[in-house]
């Protein structure tokens, strides 16, 4: 049973030091009251709960001052207290208890109505009505006579009137028009006994009218406003006053006007007529004209209403509002007499007023709307003259004049009437005093400069821009005008300076001229326009600079890549021009340009493509852009002959762009080729490195490219057959060279991988053998193994290439037979002896063995014998000298000369 919990929560809330979790406690109490309602009538601790409920009520009342609890929380506390008090009532409650219940239920119901929860209010208001009936019954049962009964009835009826009015409020909030009508009807019946409540009920109906009018429930609004007016005139003594009654009637007229001005024209006019009779007010006169205009009444009636307005001293603002109404009406019905004549009258009436400019301003607007530009210009000139001869306009009016003049100038500019546009801008300039400086003046001077440029008056344009620069030098728009003039004057240096300033201002928009640059697109569009102007005037340097800044500033992906494409084409165009110059200068310029193109453009494009795309772009767009830049990177790489650093950079960029494209077979082949070329370039840079650390970096870089290429090659091989593709051979050669120069102990594994190839070539093995001994590498055993396998392959050839075979054997003998024979091993001599025997066997079967190689073998064998002889190894010496002599018979023309010597 939640009674104990309720008591504890109330005690916590009523502590002297208000707890921080007031809201949580109130919500907990509000939730638990449901449990108490479900439990029914409380029979235990009734007194304690009732006392807690009253204490809670009083605490909520005390917290009205301050912000400890809000209105909704106060309504919840009243809800809780009131429910508990009613649940704890006895079978025969005392008069005091009933009065307390009435007070609590009325205020709780009203609280929920004011908090926008009328559904919660209804139950409490019904309780209040029941309690009032119970109280009335108790009072009348103990009354002595009719006089006492009337007193008690009057006492109860006051509270009942309030409760029923609250029920009406609740019904209106819930859209229950019928119930609200019935409640107000009961209240009206009580007014005979409670005349002092007339003003309250009239105001209540007015509020209902306002609420339903705002909700566009015009029929209900008209009813409530009519009721408000009718109730207000029931008793003049307690009437809300003629001013209030007129206000009600004016709103009623507005309701009829917006509801259906044609159908309810008479009612609207009658309401505004009554309002003006009750209390003549400028708003009433204005409203009457508005109704007549909207209902399409004859000009005579409208003129009559205008004349009525003119007879009374109304403010200029009301007159101007009326004039605007007439202007709008004249525009709609395509005539001008009413507004035009009224404005002429106002000009005369307010001739001596300091606010005359406002009237003239509207008059000028009307003339411009009607196409009477010459008359409007005359009026403007008169105003300017008057402004400096005594009839000075207020700053507000001057600002309004600027707006009209600029708007007219802009329209003429759009229609390419540059001379007229300039004239309107000059009118605006006339309102600026000498020495005045502000950003609007800078904008005005820039606009004038644009007109001068189109009128081919370059000197005047330069003067206007100079004035704009004085007012606002840090404006991107001012710099743009300086740029345009520089382009037209073919001043490349000044144009580049101006576009550079534009780029810097675009990068820091907070420092720029005004709120226009808050839009990032403004700066970006200006830079693109600057590039376009430069291209149209064949100023490539300025165009390149503008496009560079545009790429950095623009946040629309499609526009960024358009600018990058254009920029790359311009750079390639400049390269083409340089290529027509002298060879030395061409090479220097070409390398310089490649250096510029690569890091700034292609790298920028790659970063833009890998970043989240902005604007209305799709994945297909990214694929297409990546493919375009991939092709550019490829073409630029092919132009880097003799520059391996740039060649590698472009091929790597090409590879990176290809990774952003759909991974089909063709794209994978392209990636493989890019990495192969990049690896070859890194090896080339490694060969030419000036320091060992640089060489190590380049060779390591080459290995990275090779490993990536291996992965792509394996993917390709798994999807098809490539019988004649040299990729594996090239990769093994590149890896062999890199690891050899890095003195990698795993070099032998690379050779083993090569030997496992199905179609390993003798050239590949001979190259590996050479690389294994090329400084700083030194792997003689690996080199010999490669050469031996090459010889084996030569022997297996159907038609042996004897020349290539002889060279391979030469290399193997030279590598195997040391020049120092003091510590030579017999097995080495035996091994080399076998090579000699093999060579003799080949010579026996063919006459194509090169004579030079025969002579070399003979000489090397003879010399080996001589060296052995010198060391006292006579038997071995005799054998090797004899071996050398066996080659004599295979010599041709040289046989005779060498035969005598040996």
């Amino acid at each position: 049973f939640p009674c104990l919990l309720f008591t504890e929560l109330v005690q916590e809330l009523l502590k002297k030091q208000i707890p921080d979790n007031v809201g949580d406690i109130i919500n907990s109490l509000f939730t638990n009251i449901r449990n108490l309602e479900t439990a029914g009538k409380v029979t235990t601790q009734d007194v304690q709960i009732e006392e807690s409920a009253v204490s809670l009520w009083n605490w909520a009342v005390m917290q009205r001052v301050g912000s400890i609890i809000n209105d909704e929380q106060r309504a919840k506390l009243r809800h809780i207290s009131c429910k508990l008090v009613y649940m704890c009532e006895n079978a025969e409650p005392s008069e005091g208890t009933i009065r307390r219940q009435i007070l609590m239920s009325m205020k709780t119901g009203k609280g929920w109505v004011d908090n926008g929860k009328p559904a919660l209010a209804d139950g409490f208001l019904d309780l209040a009505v029941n309690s009032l009936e119970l109280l009335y019954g108790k009072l009348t049962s103990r009354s002595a006579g009719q006089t006492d009964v009337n007193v008690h009835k009057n006492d109860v009826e006051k509270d009942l009137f309030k409760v029923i009015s609250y029920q009406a409020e609740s019904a209106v909030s819930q859209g229950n028009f019928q119930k609200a009508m019935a409640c107000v009807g009961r209240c009206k019946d009580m007014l005979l006994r409670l005349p002092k409540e007339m003003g309250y009920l009239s105001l209540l109906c007015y509020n209902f009218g306002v609420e339903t009018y705002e909700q566009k429930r015009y029929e209900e609004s008209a009813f409530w406003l009519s009721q408000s007016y009718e109730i207000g005139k029931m008793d003049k003594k307690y009437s809300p006053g003629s001013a209030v009654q007129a206000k009600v009637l004016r709103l009623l007229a507005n309701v009829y006007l917006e509801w259906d001005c044609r159908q309810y024209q008479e009612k609207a006019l009658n309401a505004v007529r009554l309002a003006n009779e009750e209390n003549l007010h400028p708003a009433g006169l204005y409203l009457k004209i508005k109704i007549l205009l909207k209902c399409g009444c004859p000009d005579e009636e409208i003129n009559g209403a205008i004349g009525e307005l003119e007879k009374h001293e109304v403010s200029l603002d009301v007159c101007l509002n009326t004039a605007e109404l007439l202007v709008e009406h004249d525009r709609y019905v395509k005539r001008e007499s009413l507004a035009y004549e009224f404005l002429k009258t106002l000009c005369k009436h307010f001739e001596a007023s300091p606010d005359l400019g406002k009237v003239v301003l509207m008059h000028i607007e009307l003339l411009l709307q009607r196409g009477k530009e010459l008359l409007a210009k005359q009026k403007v000139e008169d105003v300017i003259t008057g402004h400096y001869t005594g009839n000075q306009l207020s700053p507000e009016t001057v600002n309004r004049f600027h707006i009209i003049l600029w708007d007219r100038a802009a329209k003429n500019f759009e229609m390419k009437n540059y001379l007229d546009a300039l004239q309107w801008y000059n009118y605006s300039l006339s309102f600026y005093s000498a020495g005045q400086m502000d950003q609007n003046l800078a904008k005005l001077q820039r606009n004038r400069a644009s007109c001068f440029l189109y009128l081919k008056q370059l000197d005047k344009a330069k003067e206007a821009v100079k004035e704009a620069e004085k007012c606002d030098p840090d404006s991107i728009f001012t710099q743009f005008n300086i740029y345009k003039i520089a382009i037209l004057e073919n001043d490349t240096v000044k144009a580049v300076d101006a576009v550079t300033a534009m780029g810097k201002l675009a990068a820091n928009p907070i420092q720029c001229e005004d709120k226009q640059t808050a839009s990032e697109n403004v700066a970006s569009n200006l830079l693109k326009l600057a590039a376009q102007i430069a291209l149209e005037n064949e100023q490539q340097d300025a165009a390149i600079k503008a496009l560079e800044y545009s790429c950095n500033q623009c946040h629309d992906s499609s526009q960024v890549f358009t600018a990058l494409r254009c920029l790359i084409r311009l750079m390639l165009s400049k390269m083409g021009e340089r290529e027509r110059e002298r060879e030395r200068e061409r090479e220097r310029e070409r390398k310089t340009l490649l250096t510029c193109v690569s890091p700034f453009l292609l790298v920028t494009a790659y970063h833009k493509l890998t970043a989240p795309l902005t604007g209305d772009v799709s994945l297909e767009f990214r694929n297409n852009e990546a493919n375009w830049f991939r092709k550019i990177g490829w073409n630029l790489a092919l132009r880097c002959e003799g520059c391996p650093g740039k060649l590698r950079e472009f091929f790597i960029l090409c590879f990176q762009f290809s990774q952003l494209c759909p991974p089909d077979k063709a794209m994978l082949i392209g990636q493989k080729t890019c990495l192969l070329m990049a690896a070859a370039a890194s090896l080339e840079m490694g060969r030419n490195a000036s320091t060992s650390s640089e060489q190590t970096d380049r060779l390591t870089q080459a290995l990275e490219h090779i490993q990536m290429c291996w992965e792509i090659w394996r993917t390709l091989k798994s999807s098809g057959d490539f019988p004649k593709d040299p990729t594996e051979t090239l990769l093994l050669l590149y890896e062999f060279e890199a690891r050899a120069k890095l003195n990698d102990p795993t070099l032998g594994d690379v050779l083993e991988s090569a030997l496992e190839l199905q179609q390993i070539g003798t050239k590949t093995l001979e190259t590996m053998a050479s690389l294994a001994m090329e400084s700083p590498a030194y792997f003689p055993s690996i080199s010999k193994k490669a050469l031996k396998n090459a010889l084996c392959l030569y022997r297996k050839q159907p038609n042996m290439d004897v020349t290539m075979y002889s060279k391979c054997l030469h290399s193997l003998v030279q590598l195997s037979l040391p020049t120092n024979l003091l510590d030579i091993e017999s097995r080495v001599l035996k091994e080399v002896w076998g090579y000699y025997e093999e060579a003799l066997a080949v010579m026996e079967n063919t006459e194509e063995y090169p004579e030079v190689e025969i002579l070399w073998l003979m000489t090397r064998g003879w010399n080996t014998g001589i060296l052995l002889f010198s060391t006292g190894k006579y038997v071995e010496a005799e054998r090797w000298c004899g071996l050398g002599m066996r080659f004599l018979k295979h010599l041709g023309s040289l046989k005779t000369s060498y035969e005598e010597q040996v």
Side-chain angles (χ1 to χ4, degrees), residues 82 86 101-109 124-125 127-128:
C82 186
Y86 269 98
Q101 289 175 341
I102 292 169
L103 174 67
M104 293 175 79
S105 56
M106 284 175 61
K107 287 190 174 294
T108 302
F124 291 98
L125 295 175
L127 285 173

Side-chain angles (χ1 to χ4, degrees), residues 366-614:
L366 181 61
L367 289 170
L368 291 173
Q369 287 173 10
R370 297 294 175 240
K372 297 182 177 181
E373 195 161 295
L374 288 175
L375 284 174
K377 286 180 179 179
Q378 184 61 50
K379 280 281 183 186
V380 171
E381 290 169 5
D382 292 343
V383 169
I384 293 170
T385 303
H387 182 64
Y388 290 103
T389 56
N391 295 327
Q392 191 170 9
L393 301 176
S394 66
E396 180 185 353
T397 305
V398 170
N399 286 337
R400 182 62 189 157
F401 258 105
H402 282 308
I403 292 170
I404 292 173
L405 296 171
W406 283 33
D407 180 67
R408 198 65 190 174
K411 287 178 180 176
N412 277 282
F413 192 90
E414 288 174 6
M415 297 169 62
K416 300 183 179 181
N417 296 329
Y418 303 117
L419 197 58
D420 285 340
L422 181 62
Q423 188 174 6
W424 287 106
Y425 282 130
N426 285 338
Y427 286 147
S428 178
L429 185 63
S430 300
F431 284 104
Y432 283 95
S433 57
Q436 187 174 350
M437 294 283 184
D438 65 26
Q439 290 181 347
N440 284 330
L441 179 57
K443 291 165 69 176
L444 176 60
Q445 292 288 13
R446 289 196 299 270
N447 292 340
R448 293 180 69 244
S450 296
C451 293
F452 284 128
L453 287 175
Y454 279 106
L455 293 169
K456 309 297 183 184
Q457 298 178 19
L458 194 57
D459 290 338
K460 290 184 178 180
K462 288 172 68 175
E463 290 177 12
V465 170
K466 190 175 180 180
E467 292 299 319
E469 194 173 12
K470 288 179 184 177
C471 298
D472 195 5
D474 294 329
S475 164
I476 192 170
F477 300 100
T478 301
Q479 294 300 326
F480 179 67
N481 277 272
I482 294 171
Y483 171 83
K484 284 196 295 185
I485 293 172
I487 290 292
L488 292 175
E489 291 183 328
N490 290 321
D491 190 340
T492 303
V493 174
K494 192 172 183 179
V496 170
D497 289 343
V499 82
T500 301
M502 287 173 64
K504 291 178 180 177
L505 290 167
N508 300 284
I510 296 174
Q511 301 174 7
C512 290
E513 165 202 332
D514 56 15
K515 293 180 180 178
Q516 289 187 55
T517 51
S519 170
E520 296 173 342
N521 288 333
V522 172
S524 176
N525 290 337
L526 279 177
L527 288 166
K528 285 187 289 185
L529 186 57
Q532 181 181 336
I533 291 171
L535 290 172
E536 289 172 353
N537 289 272
E538 299 181 353
Q539 297 279 340
Q540 284 195 354
D541 290 336
I544 288 171
K545 185 62 70 175
L547 286 168
E548 286 178 0
Y549 281 113
S550 179
C551 291
N552 290 330
Q553 180 62 26
C554 185
H555 295 278
D556 186 298
S557 296
S558 61
Q559 294 182 12
V560 168
F561 295 118
T562 300
L564 281 169
R565 284 187 176 203
C566 185
L567 188 50
I568 286 174
R569 289 192 180 101
L570 281 175
M571 300 296 278
L572 293 176
S573 174
K574 286 179 73 68
M575 287 171 60
E577 291 176 8
R578 297 294 189 270
E579 285 175 355
R580 289 188 288 271
E581 297 177 2
R582 292 182 295 110
E583 181 68 23
R584 179 179 57 80
E585 187 173 329
R586 178 181 66 83
E587 185 66 20
R588 177 175 55 80
E589 292 292 342
R590 182 164 61 89
K591 290 182 179 180
T592 301
L593 285 167
L594 286 171
T595 302
C596 181
V597 171
S598 168
F600 177 74
L601 301 181
L602 292 184
V603 174
T604 299
Y606 178 72
H607 288 319
K608 296 283 186 182
L609 282 170
T610 52
L613 298 177
T614 56

Side-chain angles (χ1 to χ4, degrees), residues 95 98-99 102 131-145 148-149 151-157:
E95 181 182 331
I98 296 172
R99 287 186 182 276
I102 292 169
S131 296
L132 283 166
E133 290 175 352
L134 184 61
L135 177 63
Y136 183 70
K138 277 187 173 291
L139 292 173
T140 54
S141 64
R142 61 182 175 79
S143 298
D148 290 338
V149 171
V151 170
H152 296 323
K153 185 176 182 180
N154 188 57
D155 186 30
V156 171
E157 202 165 33

